[in-house]
Amino acid sequence: MRLAAAANEAYAASLAVSELLGCRQCGGARGQDEELGIRIPRPLGHGPSRFIPEKEILQVGSEDAQMHALFADSFAALGRLDNITLVMVFHPQYLESFLKTQHYLLQMDGPLPLHYRHYIGIMAAARHQCSYLVNLHVNDFLHVGGDPKWLNGLENAPQKLQNLGELNKVLAHRPWLITKEHIEGLLKAEEHSWSLAELVHAVVLLTHYHSLASFTFGCGISPEIHCDGGHTFRPPSVSNYCLCDITNGNHSVDEVQINSAGNISVSDSFFEVEALMEKMRQLQACRDEEEASQEEMASRFEMEKRESMFVFSSDDDEVTPTRDVSRHFEDTSYGYKDFSRHGMHVPTFRVQDYCWEDHGYSLVNRLYPDVGQLIDEKFHIAYNLTYNTMAMHKDVDTSMLRRAIWNYIHCMFGIRYDDYDYGEINQLLDRSFKVYIKTVVCTPEKVTKRMYDSFWRQFKHSEKVHVNLLLIEARMQAELLYALRAITRYMT
Amino acid sequence: MEKMSRVTTALSGSALTGRTMHCHLDAPANAISVCRDAAQVVVAGRSIFKIYAIEEEQFVEKLNLRVGRKPSLNLSCADVVWHQMDENLLATAATNGVVVTWNLGRPSRNKQDQLFTEHKRTVNKVCFHPTEAHVLLSGSQDGFMKCFDLRRKDSVSTFSGQSESVRDVQFSIRDYFTFASTFENGNVQLWDIRRPDRCERMFTAHNGPVFCCDWHPEDRGWLATGGRDKMVKVWDMTTHRAKEMHCVQTIASVARVKWRPECRHHLATCSMMVDHNIYVWDVRRPFVPAAMFEEHRDVTTGIAWRHPHDPSFLLSGSKDSTLCQHLFRDASQPVERANPEGLCYGLFGDLAFAAKESLVATESGRKPYGGDRRHPIFFKRKLDPAEPFSGLASSALSVFETELGGGSMSWFVDTAERYALAGRPLAELCDHNAKVARELGRNQVAQTWTMLRIIYCSPGLVPSTNLNHSMGKGSSCGLPLMNSFNLKDMGPGLGSETRLDRSKGDTRSDTVLLDSSATLITNEDNEETEGSDVPADYLLGDVEGEEDELYPLDPEHVHPEEPEYVLPQEAFPLRHEIVDTPSGPEHLQDKADSPHVSGSEADTASLVPVDSSFSLLSVSHALYDNRLPPDFFSVLVRDMLRFYAEQGDVQMAVSVLIVLGERVRKDIDEQTQEHWYTSYIDLLQRFCLWNVSNEVVKLSTSRSISCLNQASTTLHVNCSHCKRPMSSRGWVCDRCHRCASMCAVCHHVVKGLFVWCQGCSHGGHLQHIMKWLEGSSQCPAGCGHLCEYS
């Protein structure tokens, strides 16, 4: 079975996504051995997400008025209702803002031409080998009149876009290394130079797609039916395998129940929630009393930062970049590296000195009007979104938990909040959760269903999607902060 | 300025003295505050906390409050404030949420007094009560404000803003119990210190965070707020609802605002990002800052007036690690650099012009434009004694009426409409445009076009129509006097030059042209001189008898690197006429590939302008045709374009630019071209010549111009059923949930080009309808209408 699937896979690869005519034609081409000469593509996988059972996800047609409007908007803007939308609709309030921003970035007035925007999206998604997003945007790219030759690799794109490759690489994996020299290199490159406005647009697009790639992997978004890997022409009886298992996961369905950390029974996991809530209550209560010393606080941050590098998952199977995605970026070896490795001493980024609300917003809005506002809204909604529920409990103030998640992600990027006690993170986020966060944010291509299942096992899927929203927004903000700070430094 | 110095001296007690100066700090500053005696300033930042004495000539470090071996976050200050009653009392707000008070009177090295750790998030602002010695107020990121009594260990009361982070808190100077707080969500709240349960008043002041506020020192109830939306607003709080009195629009988000002492309408601002300057605004004049301090190299983070009754000293701290004292008299005043003149055209061509009275007075003797019908009306504004810009306030307004028909621009419209800019061979374009210009009575322009044709098209290119009646005149004319004069002037110099290294041919010809063009500048009708260059230069070569070496450049090989734009010498086939090819450059490209017509045939044609009065130009063109590359004239053409543009005939400049395309473009810098294009397009649009203007935009080679057509290409459509605008997408209506535009042929929604019959209003995809109507003349919808597609 695996072999057959691999062969199919190889075939799909040879039939590059750049082929405009897509599946129907490929079906036609291969159809000679079929009796009718027509092959009907069938969806692979099980609904929009591989991680979330299809029945948990809202069915199109059963949505309420607000969601319906959102679907209509999404459909109108993109001409499709993609799986990302179908999963995000767990949180319609956020989805609305997300779609509005994405639509503005890709289709409304902006300094970059349309095909550049999609190409940058492809570049960004390709850094994480996110074939889902790459496929979507390859289609869009060709649709808006992009040159198919560019898709053969970054070296075939204009020099101007090639120059962006370096920034893309650093931004995706080690944003703290961005310096004003990077910016200067892009802005002063003779006839290939970027203007500041274009650069800000590009940076926003890059960060948007880096984090969207995180979401795609984090929620196990299935390929779209019209894209490679999203369909099969086999009769339904045969197709009980999932292509995605091969491309990405190293898990099988029966593995799901086994927890990586050990064998914790379901009743244990029930206590997980209780324990978490108890901890939150304790923290809330004792906060005012116990006062940690300054050194203590500082070391807690450092510890968390250092520790975050060890929380990598134990299954480090080498995921080889699949099919044609790899051609969009050169250096595959350049991945996420932790701070303290290689003796790198990166000064901690103090959010009190450069924060999104005060500085980042002003800069973006100045150079790319309205977008600052849109992103700001999106951050706000993501950060403040709550239904006051936790698993089976209602009326819970989750702000502490959300803040811990948000700050943990920023901590991984070296961003420190002076007014936060990083000890809280350790109390609230257990190891399997940290592994998941870390993987989704830093190396999303390595997320497996097992990781998804093993954290917060009593929590609802919608809550896990909620976590993902926090992850991607925090990641986007972190990348943006580094990039914008470099631009600010360049400007002064 | 004199007024100010008087104020300075009028201060009670010792008058402040000093100069504009700055000193380097070790680290970026976040905030500064001044001591009551105006002789000391405290600077606080993430890694700095020092007190400086302000001396006559310099800042002197007096005290470093950052003591202790280990840097503590308690010392990482977001804000600092010095008590205005007690010289020994300071308070800082730390980024980790701690409020610290400092007592300078303590004998030990560590002056830290009290520590309040009640806030959970960064404290953004601390503020002492202006008259009460022990009351301190703080506002924090966690959304709470706390009031501390320094005699107690905890806060006295906590105020919950019930919304997002508090960015600023300020005690009212006039009302003992009132303070204002500003929030990240754009709200401003007014509180009574005795009532912590709810705020007295709340209103939305800005879009986005309100970073700062300041109570007016004298006017009770005036509050200035500054926000991320780049505005400074002044509110009157005495009325029932907070009333916006003034609004100043700055260029960046406003980080701090401080009223200027003794100047009722002045306030100083600095910004959070991008802009490093400090501005002092007169709120009644919201568009131009009254003064500007440009000393800092990075964003200014703290500003403070040095003394509450002295308007001339401003202190500032910045992220660039400097502390500055600015003197108001050293400020740059943008007003002085601004042009206080206004000019506007009325609906019927009247022109109004306003300027400083003094300016107009000196010019009154001059005869105004437009003839004798001048009606200057002088307005004198009543001077407000408090008005600071009395010098500028008196202005004169003159209105000029246009003579009937005098200012008529019909020639412009005609020319614009009739000019051909592309789609035909260069020679034809030139001839056509020359004809148009001549018919409109613009002989100079017509002549220029003719000459351009001569320069850029070799003789063989004369269209047959022209040949017919110019044949006879032939190359018989001798040189007129003018030419010989030129020759005399330039002969000797050039003669010697030719003996120099031959390879310098290019530069030499440049000098020739410069000389000759210099002579024509004085000439009003420059076509004669311009025209004469050609024969004169040629003649020179003739005299020397070595013209082939003199001008060794073969026209065919001028631009070997860009062959597609070079017009081959005899490239244009004369036989067949070219009808309307889509656009210039493409066309030229085609032509370049076409087989060449033999040169001998070209030689037989002589280039004679149609207008016989200028027939002298025809001098022996046949003789020089192989020797002078079009490049040779580019300098001249460039000067010519400049000349036209400066004369105000930007139409000519742009038209020539488009027609000649690649040939001249490289000689004129991008910016100038862009400038010409934009002015021409602007003119065309004013005359509602949309088509022409679009053509120009399309033909322009400048990137910034051609992208004009790419911007705001949105088309708004209304639903055909409910007439509602379809805001979010073009083909399905939000309200009635119906697809508005279905194709009558394929019955699918049309998302792109939609074509419909104006008779029966059925339509669909452009392709489908075209195809349908090829086979049938009836409407595809079956309504029986006989549709036409043209």
Side-chain angles (χ1 to χ4, degrees), chain A residues 73 76 287 294-295 350 352-353 357-359 361-362 366 376 380 403 416 418-419 488 492, chain B residues 46 70 72-74 95-96 120-122 164 167 211 228 251 253 273-274 276 728-729 731:
Chain A
D73 273 337
R287 221 188 213 169
Q294 294 311 310
E295 303 86 68
R350 305 262 189 179
Q352 266 76 9
D353 291 345
E357 283 79 13
D358 295 0
H359 306 95
Y361 171 90
S362 303
R366 185 185 178 90
D376 192 42
H380 261 263
R403 193 170 166 215
R416 179 175 178 190
D418 282 346
D419 52 4
T488 309
T492 51
Chain B
R46 172 170 290 285
K70 282 190 201 128
S72 155
L73 273 183
N74 290 351
T95 50
N96 63 351
K120 295 193 186 76
R121 304 283 308 267
T122 299
E164 289 176 62
R167 297 308 295 247
F211 287 138
R228 193 171 72 178
I251 59 167
S253 50
M273 272 291 285
V274 192
H276 311 156
S728 51
R729 52 208 169 258
W731 56 87

Short mmCIF file of all heavy atoms in Angstrom, two decimals, chain A residues 73 76 287 294-295 350 352-353 357-359 361-362 366 376 380 403 416 418-419 488 492, chain B residues 46 70 72-74 95-96 120-122 164 167 211 228 251 253 273-274 276 728-729 731:
data_model
loop_
_atom_site.label_atom_id
_atom_site.label_comp_id
_atom_site.label_asym_id
_atom_site.label_seq_id
_atom_site.Cartn_x
_atom_site.Cartn_y
_atom_site.Cartn_z
N ASP A 73 -18.31 35.70 2.31
CA ASP A 73 -17.21 36.64 2.12
C ASP A 73 -15.97 35.91 1.64
O ASP A 73 -15.32 36.31 0.68
CB ASP A 73 -16.86 37.32 3.45
CG ASP A 73 -17.70 38.55 3.67
OD1 ASP A 73 -18.18 39.08 2.66
OD2 ASP A 73 -17.88 38.96 4.82
N ALA A 76 -16.34 34.69 -1.82
CA ALA A 76 -16.29 35.75 -2.82
C ALA A 76 -14.87 36.26 -3.01
O ALA A 76 -14.44 36.52 -4.12
CB ALA A 76 -17.20 36.90 -2.39
N ARG A 287 -0.42 35.53 44.19
CA ARG A 287 0.33 36.50 43.42
C ARG A 287 0.67 37.72 44.26
O ARG A 287 1.77 38.25 44.22
CB ARG A 287 -0.51 36.94 42.25
CG ARG A 287 0.29 37.06 40.98
CD ARG A 287 -0.58 37.67 39.97
NE ARG A 287 -0.28 37.19 38.64
CZ ARG A 287 -1.07 37.43 37.61
NH1 ARG A 287 -2.21 38.06 37.81
NH2 ARG A 287 -0.75 37.04 36.42
N GLN A 294 14.23 40.21 42.07
CA GLN A 294 14.46 40.58 40.68
C GLN A 294 15.29 39.54 39.96
O GLN A 294 15.00 39.16 38.84
CB GLN A 294 15.16 41.94 40.61
CG GLN A 294 14.33 43.06 41.11
CD GLN A 294 12.95 43.05 40.48
OE1 GLN A 294 12.83 42.96 39.27
NE2 GLN A 294 11.92 43.11 41.30
N GLU A 295 16.34 39.11 40.64
CA GLU A 295 17.23 38.14 39.99
C GLU A 295 16.45 36.87 39.68
O GLU A 295 16.59 36.26 38.63
CB GLU A 295 18.41 37.79 40.90
CG GLU A 295 19.24 38.97 41.33
CD GLU A 295 18.68 39.65 42.56
OE1 GLU A 295 18.73 39.04 43.63
OE2 GLU A 295 18.20 40.79 42.44
N ARG A 350 13.34 43.53 24.62
CA ARG A 350 12.43 44.01 25.67
C ARG A 350 11.21 44.64 25.04
O ARG A 350 11.32 45.61 24.30
CB ARG A 350 13.13 45.08 26.51
CG ARG A 350 14.43 44.62 27.08
CD ARG A 350 14.20 44.19 28.49
NE ARG A 350 15.48 43.92 29.14
CZ ARG A 350 15.58 43.55 30.38
NH1 ARG A 350 14.48 43.42 31.09
NH2 ARG A 350 16.75 43.29 30.93
N GLN A 352 9.06 46.32 26.32
CA GLN A 352 8.77 47.67 26.79
C GLN A 352 9.51 48.73 25.97
O GLN A 352 9.17 49.90 26.01
CB GLN A 352 9.13 47.82 28.27
CG GLN A 352 7.97 47.57 29.22
CD GLN A 352 7.63 46.11 29.39
OE1 GLN A 352 8.34 45.24 28.94
NE2 GLN A 352 6.51 45.85 30.04
N ASP A 353 10.52 48.28 25.25
CA ASP A 353 11.26 49.24 24.44
C ASP A 353 10.74 49.31 23.02
O ASP A 353 10.95 50.30 22.33
CB ASP A 353 12.74 48.85 24.39
CG ASP A 353 13.40 49.06 25.74
OD1 ASP A 353 12.77 49.75 26.57
OD2 ASP A 353 14.49 48.53 25.96
N GLU A 357 1.96 47.85 19.88
CA GLU A 357 0.94 48.88 20.02
C GLU A 357 1.51 50.27 19.77
O GLU A 357 0.88 51.09 19.08
CB GLU A 357 0.30 48.85 21.41
CG GLU A 357 -0.70 47.75 21.62
CD GLU A 357 -0.03 46.42 21.90
OE1 GLU A 357 1.19 46.43 22.17
OE2 GLU A 357 -0.71 45.38 21.84
N ASP A 358 2.69 50.54 20.32
CA ASP A 358 3.21 51.89 20.22
C ASP A 358 4.02 52.08 18.95
O ASP A 358 3.85 53.05 18.23
CB ASP A 358 4.12 52.19 21.42
CG ASP A 358 3.35 52.20 22.71
OD1 ASP A 358 2.13 51.96 22.66
OD2 ASP A 358 3.96 52.44 23.75
N HIS A 359 4.91 51.15 18.71
CA HIS A 359 5.90 51.40 17.67
C HIS A 359 5.57 50.69 16.35
O HIS A 359 5.52 51.32 15.31
CB HIS A 359 7.27 50.97 18.16
CG HIS A 359 7.64 51.61 19.47
ND1 HIS A 359 7.41 50.98 20.68
CD2 HIS A 359 8.16 52.80 19.76
CE1 HIS A 359 7.81 51.78 21.66
NE2 HIS A 359 8.27 52.89 21.12
N TYR A 361 2.86 49.36 15.20
CA TYR A 361 1.65 49.84 14.55
C TYR A 361 1.91 51.12 13.77
O TYR A 361 1.54 51.26 12.62
CB TYR A 361 0.56 50.07 15.60
CG TYR A 361 -0.65 50.78 15.06
CD1 TYR A 361 -1.69 50.04 14.52
CD2 TYR A 361 -0.74 52.16 15.05
CE1 TYR A 361 -2.80 50.67 14.00
CE2 TYR A 361 -1.85 52.80 14.52
CZ TYR A 361 -2.87 52.05 14.00
OH TYR A 361 -3.97 52.67 13.47
N SER A 362 2.55 52.07 14.45
CA SER A 362 2.76 53.38 13.81
C SER A 362 3.57 53.23 12.54
O SER A 362 3.28 53.88 11.53
CB SER A 362 3.48 54.32 14.76
OG SER A 362 2.76 54.44 15.95
N ARG A 366 2.10 53.83 8.78
CA ARG A 366 2.67 54.95 8.04
C ARG A 366 3.06 54.51 6.63
O ARG A 366 2.85 55.24 5.66
CB ARG A 366 3.90 55.44 8.78
CG ARG A 366 4.52 56.66 8.20
CD ARG A 366 5.80 56.95 8.98
NE ARG A 366 6.48 58.09 8.44
CZ ARG A 366 6.27 59.33 8.83
NH1 ARG A 366 5.37 59.55 9.75
NH2 ARG A 366 6.93 60.33 8.29
N ASP A 376 -3.65 45.10 13.82
CA ASP A 376 -3.85 45.44 15.23
C ASP A 376 -5.14 44.81 15.75
O ASP A 376 -5.18 44.20 16.80
CB ASP A 376 -3.88 46.96 15.36
CG ASP A 376 -3.78 47.40 16.81
OD1 ASP A 376 -2.98 46.81 17.53
OD2 ASP A 376 -4.51 48.33 17.20
N HIS A 380 -5.61 41.91 18.60
CA HIS A 380 -6.47 42.16 19.75
C HIS A 380 -7.49 41.06 19.91
O HIS A 380 -7.71 40.56 21.01
CB HIS A 380 -7.18 43.50 19.59
CG HIS A 380 -6.51 44.58 20.36
ND1 HIS A 380 -6.92 44.96 21.60
CD2 HIS A 380 -5.43 45.31 20.06
CE1 HIS A 380 -6.13 45.90 22.04
NE2 HIS A 380 -5.21 46.14 21.14
N ARG A 403 -2.40 34.39 28.49
CA ARG A 403 -1.21 35.22 28.57
C ARG A 403 0.04 34.34 28.67
O ARG A 403 1.08 34.64 28.09
CB ARG A 403 -1.31 36.14 29.78
CG ARG A 403 -0.29 37.24 29.75
CD ARG A 403 -0.56 38.27 30.82
NE ARG A 403 0.61 39.12 30.98
CZ ARG A 403 1.00 39.62 32.13
NH1 ARG A 403 0.31 39.39 33.22
NH2 ARG A 403 2.07 40.38 32.20
N ARG A 416 10.93 39.55 25.85
CA ARG A 416 10.65 39.50 27.27
C ARG A 416 9.73 40.62 27.72
O ARG A 416 9.90 41.77 27.34
CB ARG A 416 11.96 39.60 28.05
CG ARG A 416 11.70 39.56 29.52
CD ARG A 416 12.95 39.53 30.34
NE ARG A 416 12.56 39.54 31.74
CZ ARG A 416 13.40 39.71 32.73
NH1 ARG A 416 14.68 39.86 32.49
NH2 ARG A 416 12.97 39.72 33.97
N ASP A 418 8.80 42.68 30.89
CA ASP A 418 9.33 42.96 32.22
C ASP A 418 8.32 42.65 33.31
O ASP A 418 8.68 42.31 34.42
CB ASP A 418 9.68 44.46 32.33
CG ASP A 418 10.98 44.76 31.63
OD1 ASP A 418 11.71 43.79 31.31
OD2 ASP A 418 11.27 45.94 31.42
N ASP A 419 7.06 42.81 32.96
CA ASP A 419 6.06 42.71 34.01
C ASP A 419 5.46 41.32 34.09
O ASP A 419 4.37 41.14 34.61
CB ASP A 419 4.96 43.76 33.80
CG ASP A 419 4.39 43.70 32.40
OD1 ASP A 419 4.79 42.81 31.64
OD2 ASP A 419 3.54 44.54 32.08
N THR A 488 12.99 50.22 11.63
CA THR A 488 13.08 51.47 12.39
C THR A 488 14.54 51.88 12.57
O THR A 488 14.89 53.04 12.41
CB THR A 488 12.42 51.31 13.77
OG1 THR A 488 11.13 50.78 13.59
CG2 THR A 488 12.34 52.63 14.48
N THR A 492 16.41 55.41 11.32
CA THR A 492 16.93 56.46 12.20
C THR A 492 18.43 56.61 12.04
O THR A 492 19.12 55.70 11.74
CB THR A 492 16.63 56.15 13.66
OG1 THR A 492 17.07 54.84 13.94
CG2 THR A 492 15.17 56.27 13.94
N ARG B 46 15.59 52.71 30.83
CA ARG B 46 15.74 51.32 31.22
C ARG B 46 17.00 51.09 32.04
O ARG B 46 17.01 50.35 33.00
CB ARG B 46 15.78 50.44 29.98
CG ARG B 46 16.10 49.00 30.28
CD ARG B 46 15.89 48.12 29.09
NE ARG B 46 14.48 47.97 28.79
CZ ARG B 46 13.65 47.21 29.49
NH1 ARG B 46 14.07 46.57 30.54
NH2 ARG B 46 12.40 47.10 29.14
N LYS B 70 23.56 44.70 41.47
CA LYS B 70 22.77 44.02 40.45
C LYS B 70 21.69 44.95 39.91
O LYS B 70 20.97 45.56 40.67
CB LYS B 70 22.12 42.77 41.04
CG LYS B 70 23.11 41.64 41.17
CD LYS B 70 22.40 40.36 41.52
CE LYS B 70 23.36 39.38 42.15
NZ LYS B 70 22.88 38.87 43.41
N SER B 72 18.33 45.92 38.88
CA SER B 72 17.02 45.37 39.19
C SER B 72 16.00 45.97 38.25
O SER B 72 16.14 47.10 37.79
CB SER B 72 16.68 45.74 40.63
OG SER B 72 15.29 45.75 40.78
N LEU B 73 15.01 45.19 37.98
CA LEU B 73 13.96 45.70 37.09
C LEU B 73 13.19 46.84 37.74
O LEU B 73 12.54 47.61 37.05
CB LEU B 73 12.99 44.57 36.74
CG LEU B 73 13.37 43.72 35.54
CD1 LEU B 73 12.30 42.71 35.26
CD2 LEU B 73 13.55 44.61 34.31
N ASN B 74 13.28 46.94 39.06
CA ASN B 74 12.62 48.06 39.73
C ASN B 74 13.20 49.38 39.26
O ASN B 74 12.60 50.43 39.40
CB ASN B 74 12.80 47.96 41.24
CG ASN B 74 12.01 46.80 41.80
OD1 ASN B 74 11.21 46.21 41.09
ND2 ASN B 74 12.24 46.49 43.06
N THR B 95 9.03 49.18 34.65
CA THR B 95 8.39 48.38 33.61
C THR B 95 7.83 47.08 34.16
O THR B 95 6.99 46.45 33.53
CB THR B 95 9.40 48.05 32.50
OG1 THR B 95 10.57 47.53 33.09
CG2 THR B 95 9.74 49.27 31.70
N ASN B 96 8.30 46.65 35.33
CA ASN B 96 7.76 45.40 35.87
C ASN B 96 6.55 45.64 36.78
O ASN B 96 6.08 44.72 37.43
CB ASN B 96 8.84 44.63 36.62
CG ASN B 96 9.35 45.40 37.81
OD1 ASN B 96 9.02 46.57 37.98
ND2 ASN B 96 10.14 44.76 38.63
N LYS B 120 -0.01 44.74 38.50
CA LYS B 120 0.42 43.46 37.94
C LYS B 120 1.19 43.64 36.64
O LYS B 120 1.91 42.74 36.21
CB LYS B 120 -0.80 42.58 37.68
CG LYS B 120 -1.54 42.19 38.94
CD LYS B 120 -2.53 41.08 38.65
CE LYS B 120 -3.38 40.77 39.85
NZ LYS B 120 -4.44 41.78 40.05
N ARG B 121 0.99 44.75 35.99
CA ARG B 121 1.65 44.95 34.70
C ARG B 121 2.47 46.24 34.77
O ARG B 121 2.46 46.95 35.77
CB ARG B 121 0.59 45.07 33.58
CG ARG B 121 -0.36 43.92 33.46
CD ARG B 121 0.28 42.72 32.80
NE ARG B 121 0.90 43.06 31.54
CZ ARG B 121 0.29 42.97 30.36
NH1 ARG B 121 -0.96 42.58 30.27
NH2 ARG B 121 0.93 43.27 29.26
N THR B 122 3.15 46.49 33.69
CA THR B 122 3.96 47.70 33.58
C THR B 122 3.17 48.94 34.01
O THR B 122 2.01 49.09 33.63
CB THR B 122 4.40 47.90 32.13
OG1 THR B 122 5.17 46.79 31.74
CG2 THR B 122 5.21 49.16 31.96
N GLU B 164 -9.15 48.90 28.70
CA GLU B 164 -7.79 48.43 28.52
C GLU B 164 -6.78 49.29 29.29
O GLU B 164 -7.13 50.10 30.13
CB GLU B 164 -7.46 48.44 27.04
CG GLU B 164 -8.20 47.34 26.33
CD GLU B 164 -7.96 47.41 24.85
OE1 GLU B 164 -6.79 47.26 24.46
OE2 GLU B 164 -8.90 47.64 24.09
N ARG B 167 -2.73 54.66 29.84
CA ARG B 167 -1.49 55.17 29.28
C ARG B 167 -1.00 56.43 29.98
O ARG B 167 0.17 56.73 29.98
CB ARG B 167 -1.66 55.47 27.76
CG ARG B 167 -1.96 54.26 26.94
CD ARG B 167 -0.98 53.14 27.19
NE ARG B 167 0.37 53.43 26.78
CZ ARG B 167 1.01 52.81 25.79
NH1 ARG B 167 0.41 51.88 25.10
NH2 ARG B 167 2.25 53.13 25.49
N PHE B 211 -2.04 58.33 24.07
CA PHE B 211 -0.77 58.15 24.76
C PHE B 211 -0.54 59.16 25.88
O PHE B 211 0.22 58.90 26.79
CB PHE B 211 0.38 58.24 23.76
CG PHE B 211 0.51 57.04 22.87
CD1 PHE B 211 0.78 57.19 21.52
CD2 PHE B 211 0.34 55.76 23.37
CE1 PHE B 211 0.90 56.09 20.69
CE2 PHE B 211 0.47 54.65 22.55
CZ PHE B 211 0.74 54.83 21.21
N ARG B 228 -2.32 57.89 19.07
CA ARG B 228 -1.62 57.19 18.00
C ARG B 228 -2.15 57.58 16.63
O ARG B 228 -1.50 57.36 15.61
CB ARG B 228 -1.81 55.67 18.21
CG ARG B 228 -0.90 54.82 17.39
CD ARG B 228 -1.00 53.37 17.80
NE ARG B 228 -2.24 52.76 17.37
CZ ARG B 228 -2.56 51.49 17.58
NH1 ARG B 228 -1.72 50.70 18.23
NH2 ARG B 228 -3.71 50.99 17.18
N ILE B 251 2.47 64.60 12.12
CA ILE B 251 2.82 63.59 11.11
C ILE B 251 3.13 62.24 11.71
O ILE B 251 3.40 61.30 10.98
CB ILE B 251 4.00 64.06 10.23
CG1 ILE B 251 5.21 64.35 11.10
CG2 ILE B 251 3.62 65.26 9.41
CD1 ILE B 251 6.46 64.50 10.27
N SER B 253 2.53 59.50 15.45
CA SER B 253 1.77 59.33 16.68
C SER B 253 2.37 60.20 17.79
O SER B 253 3.58 60.36 17.88
CB SER B 253 1.77 57.87 17.09
OG SER B 253 3.08 57.37 17.09
N MET B 273 7.27 57.58 17.17
CA MET B 273 7.99 56.84 16.14
C MET B 273 8.33 57.75 14.98
O MET B 273 7.67 58.75 14.76
CB MET B 273 7.08 55.74 15.57
CG MET B 273 7.13 54.44 16.32
SD MET B 273 8.69 53.63 16.12
CE MET B 273 8.58 53.00 14.46
N VAL B 274 9.33 57.37 14.23
CA VAL B 274 9.62 57.92 12.93
C VAL B 274 10.11 59.36 12.96
O VAL B 274 11.14 59.69 12.39
CB VAL B 274 8.39 57.84 11.99
CG1 VAL B 274 8.81 58.14 10.58
CG2 VAL B 274 7.73 56.47 12.07
N HIS B 276 11.59 62.62 14.76
CA HIS B 276 12.42 62.86 15.94
C HIS B 276 12.32 64.28 16.48
O HIS B 276 12.94 64.61 17.48
CB HIS B 276 13.89 62.57 15.62
CG HIS B 276 14.09 61.25 14.95
ND1 HIS B 276 15.16 60.95 14.17
CD2 HIS B 276 13.32 60.13 14.96
CE1 HIS B 276 15.06 59.73 13.71
NE2 HIS B 276 13.94 59.22 14.17
N SER B 728 -19.09 43.70 -0.92
CA SER B 728 -17.96 42.82 -0.71
C SER B 728 -17.56 42.08 -1.97
O SER B 728 -16.42 41.72 -2.13
CB SER B 728 -18.28 41.83 0.41
OG SER B 728 -19.51 41.22 0.15
N ARG B 729 -18.47 41.83 -2.86
CA ARG B 729 -18.09 41.11 -4.06
C ARG B 729 -19.02 41.51 -5.17
O ARG B 729 -20.15 41.95 -4.94
CB ARG B 729 -18.14 39.61 -3.81
CG ARG B 729 -19.46 39.20 -3.23
CD ARG B 729 -19.33 37.97 -2.39
NE ARG B 729 -20.57 37.79 -1.66
CZ ARG B 729 -20.74 38.11 -0.39
NH1 ARG B 729 -19.72 38.61 0.27
NH2 ARG B 729 -21.88 37.94 0.20
N TRP B 731 -20.55 39.87 -7.65
CA TRP B 731 -21.54 39.11 -8.39
C TRP B 731 -22.62 38.46 -7.53
O TRP B 731 -23.50 37.82 -8.02
CB TRP B 731 -20.85 38.06 -9.24
CG TRP B 731 -19.98 37.16 -8.46
CD1 TRP B 731 -20.33 36.03 -7.83
CD2 TRP B 731 -18.60 37.33 -8.19
NE1 TRP B 731 -19.28 35.48 -7.19
CE2 TRP B 731 -18.19 36.26 -7.39
CE3 TRP B 731 -17.66 38.30 -8.54
CZ2 TRP B 731 -16.89 36.12 -6.95
CZ3 TRP B 731 -16.36 38.16 -8.10
CH2 TRP B 731 -15.99 37.07 -7.31
#
